[in-house]
Amino acid sequence: MTCLPCDLEDATAGVVHRDDLWACEVADGYDVPGWFVLRTRRHAEGWGALTPDEAASLGAVAQRVSTAIQEATGAVNTYLLSFGENYPHLHFLLIARPPDLPADLKGAAILSRRLEDRDREAALAVAADVRAALAAPALVHD
């Protein structure tokens, strides 16, 4: 089986964050505007496989990227979902929840929109906006 999170290491388009430990980018098959995969840079299978540095930095990275997603998209919330069923490599779906999302699609039900709402060009445009929001001084926290 191929590892989608590992394969993203070669991605150049749609990258919104990369540091030594974590990366966040648009992923093929999940290329819905405002949807991203946040993943460990190395292949780590599950929570127990995180290094202390990965575990300690996850919250800060998720907070920064989530805030940038909300600023770039106008989302009222961002979902951070991790199931580990299809790919054991620890990764999360970071999903912008738009203000007009019907009640029956809130929470994990938003995943039912994955195929219907795919639009790679629009997803890459949102990624550019998220990168710009991440670069803004207001998102730099001490």
Side-chain angles (χ1 to χ4, degrees):
M1 174 170 80
T2 185
C3 180
L4 174 67
C6 283
D7 292 346
L8 289 171
E9 194 62 28
D10 296 328
T12 54
V15 175
V16 297
H17 171 84
R18 278 203 179 142
D19 63 26
D20 291 342
L21 304 175
W22 293 97
C24 186
E25 54 266 300
V26 172
D28 189 40
Y30 296 84
D31 42 1
V32 174
W35 290 30
F36 301 91
V37 172
L38 175 64
R39 63 180 176 82
T40 54
R41 296 284 305 269
R42 67 180 186 89
H43 186 86
E45 293 193 4
W47 289 96
L50 290 180
T51 66
D53 287 343
E54 288 166 338
S57 62
L58 173 59
V61 171
Q63 183 274 335
R64 280 191 75 240
V65 175
S66 292
T67 300
I69 291 169
Q70 285 183 259
E71 287 192 8
T73 65
V76 295
N77 197 4
T78 49
Y79 296 149
L80 180 69
L81 306 169
S82 180
F83 301 105
E85 299 292 334
N86 294 324
Y87 306 101
H89 181 145
L90 184 65
H91 66 286
F92 305 88
L93 292 176
L94 249 172
I95 298 176
R97 205 272 284 162
D100 58 348
L101 187 71
D104 64 327
L105 293 176
K106 291 181 181 175
I110 198 170
L111 295 172
S112 68
R113 304 291 303 185
R114 180 174 71 93
L115 296 178
E116 186 176 335
D117 291 348
R118 283 183 67 192
D119 181 338
R120 184 141 183 94
E121 281 188 37
L124 294 175
V126 170
D129 293 341
V130 172
R131 275 193 307 277
L134 280 167
L139 289 180
V140 177
H141 299 286
D142 295 326

